[in-house]
Amino acid sequence: MLVSIAPKTERPKWLRAPAPVGENYRDLKGLIERLRLHTVCESAACPNVGECWNQRTATFMMLGNVCTRRCGFCAVEKGAPLPVDYDEPRRVAEAVAAMGLRFAVITSVNRDDREDGGAELFAMVIREIRERVPGCGVEVLIPDFQGSHAAVETVMEAAPDVLNHNTETVPRLYRQVRLGARYERSLDVLAHAKRVRRATPTKSGLMLGLGETAEEVLQVMRDLRAHQVDILTLGQYLRPSPKHLPIVRYVPPPEFEEFRRAGYQMGFAHVESGPLVRSSYHAGESVGQVLHLAADGQGGDPAHD
């Protein structure tokens, strides 16, 4: 039975990630520094950076590392944006090739200073990766482009393998959590991506522990399915610093499991739900599951068929 609110406690033992150490971690850090790239893993203080980098996976963050919005949950630096680097897509593709990736995840800061929100660079990097590393899958985690359908079309015409856009939280908390964003606009971005390329899987995710109720989370999940979203991620919000939004509660693993089951019952093709889950967690595996189910005409929870 899902509960709604519980008091926050000290960080529990089950919410601890491996420290970022190891030879692969050091190699990847050196590669990223050499190519003058940014990753959301570092800029957003992701707790899985040690696990993912040691498995030679990373989420590249384009268009600089300074965001034009001031979301209350995010550790990425805020302020005046950096100049656009049109060589950046080529360098990202070079890093993907050097890492031997079969699936790459690309995101960016919000660039509300640009008419297209940076969509042009997303299209460029998809094409650069395809040319440099044939057969490599590409997932793009896009901002809302201030609702621009033309910007969404620019990205979708480059044919990403997955289009991801996070709703992040429930509508009631948007003013505190996602300043400058609108819930309905995020749903429309996901819906328009499907209208442009119906066969491309779409994906979205939420952070839990910010004061939402279980019913609010379930309603967001229903809304996402109503907008034909295929893949869902649910994870625990972790406060990057005392200046960011406080954690209202730690959601225990059994509740994440309940949400996972509910997601499959609603018809999501793949659900990642757990305390340390983030947007790109097991990204390659999730799209593989979606495409497999689509080919077989199946659905539902693969662990409980």
Side-chain angles (χ1 to χ4, degrees):
M1 180 81 176
L2 290 168
V3 299
S4 298
I5 294 291
K8 182 174 77 69
T9 60
E10 294 303 314
R11 182 179 292 197
K13 292 181 179 179
W14 41 261
L15 192 53
R16 295 177 185 172
V21 295
E23 183 177 354
N24 281 342
Y25 173 83
R26 291 191 296 271
D27 287 349
L28 185 50
K29 189 172 181 65
L31 175 68
I32 288 165
E33 290 174 353
R34 177 173 64 80
L35 293 175
R36 295 177 289 114
L37 298 174
H38 303 288
T39 67
V40 74
C41 321
E42 290 187 302
S43 295
C46 177
N48 299 318
V49 63
E51 175 188 352
C52 293
W53 283 27
N54 271 309
Q55 295 176 0
R56 299 187 71 79
T57 63
T59 299
F60 297 98
M61 188 172 75
M62 299 199 313
L63 293 160
N65 65 342
V66 181
C67 189
T68 56
R69 295 192 190 173
R70 299 182 179 274
C71 297
F73 68 90
C74 184
V76 174
E77 184 179 348
K78 284 83 172 170
L82 299 176
V84 172
D85 179 357
Y86 281 94
D87 186 55
E88 188 176 44
R90 181 196 64 79
R91 299 198 309 277
V92 170
E94 183 178 340
V96 169
M99 293 168 65
L101 296 186
R102 298 183 63 186
F103 195 86
V105 183
I106 315 296
T107 190
S108 79
V109 292
N110 281 284
R111 291 298 301 256
D112 293 335
D113 59 308
R114 294 179 60 82
E115 184 176 353
D116 73 345
E120 177 188 15
L121 272 289
F122 275 103
M124 288 174 65
V125 77
I126 293 167
R127 294 184 175 115
E128 287 278 359
I129 292 171
R130 292 266 164 72
E131 182 176 342
R132 184 73 180 256
V133 193
C136 180
V138 183
E139 175 179 316
V140 289
L141 171 55
I142 62 170
D144 64 19
F145 298 138
Q146 299 189 78
S148 169
H149 282 187
V152 175
E153 289 160 14
T154 295
V155 176
M156 296 306 288
E157 285 163 6
D161 292 279
V162 179
L163 187 287
N164 188 355
H165 173 66
N166 286 330
T167 46
E168 304 290 11
T169 190
V170 301
R172 178 175 57 85
L173 298 177
Y174 256 54
R175 287 198 173 190
Q176 296 94 336
V177 178
R178 293 194 72 195
L179 191 63
R182 295 206 308 270
Y183 180 68
E184 294 77 11
R185 186 163 68 192
S186 285
L187 292 177
D188 181 65
V189 164
L190 291 159
H192 193 62
K194 271 292 188 188
R195 286 193 290 268
V196 177
R197 292 183 66 90
R198 180 168 294 276
T200 300
T202 51
K203 177 177 178 181
S204 192
L206 293 88
M207 302 170 294
L208 307 186
L210 285 159
E212 70 289 331
T213 67
E215 180 51 40
E216 286 176 318
V217 174
L218 292 169
Q219 185 57 54
V220 172
M221 292 166 63
R222 295 184 197 106
D223 291 344
L224 292 172
R225 281 301 300 140
H227 288 75
Q228 299 182 302
V229 172
D230 304 287
I231 303 170
L232 175 70
T233 61
L234 300 169
Q236 170 71 48
Y237 167 65
L238 295 176
R239 193 181 196 184
S241 80
K243 295 185 292 185
H244 291 84
L245 290 171
I247 298 168
V248 175
R249 66 182 293 243
Y250 291 109
V251 179
E255 288 187 42
F256 278 106
E257 174 61 18
E258 289 291 329
F259 283 126
R260 188 183 75 85
R261 290 175 180 271
Y264 280 116
Q265 289 169 0
M266 291 179 193
F268 286 99
H270 188 86
V271 181
E272 289 281 351
S273 181
L276 291 174
V277 168
R278 295 297 181 265
S279 294
S280 57
Y281 195 64
H282 293 168
E285 294 91 329
S286 67
V287 69
Q289 177 68 27
V290 171
L291 297 176
H292 173 73
L293 291 175
D296 289 351
Q298 298 175 358
D301 184 347
H304 294 86
D305 284 346

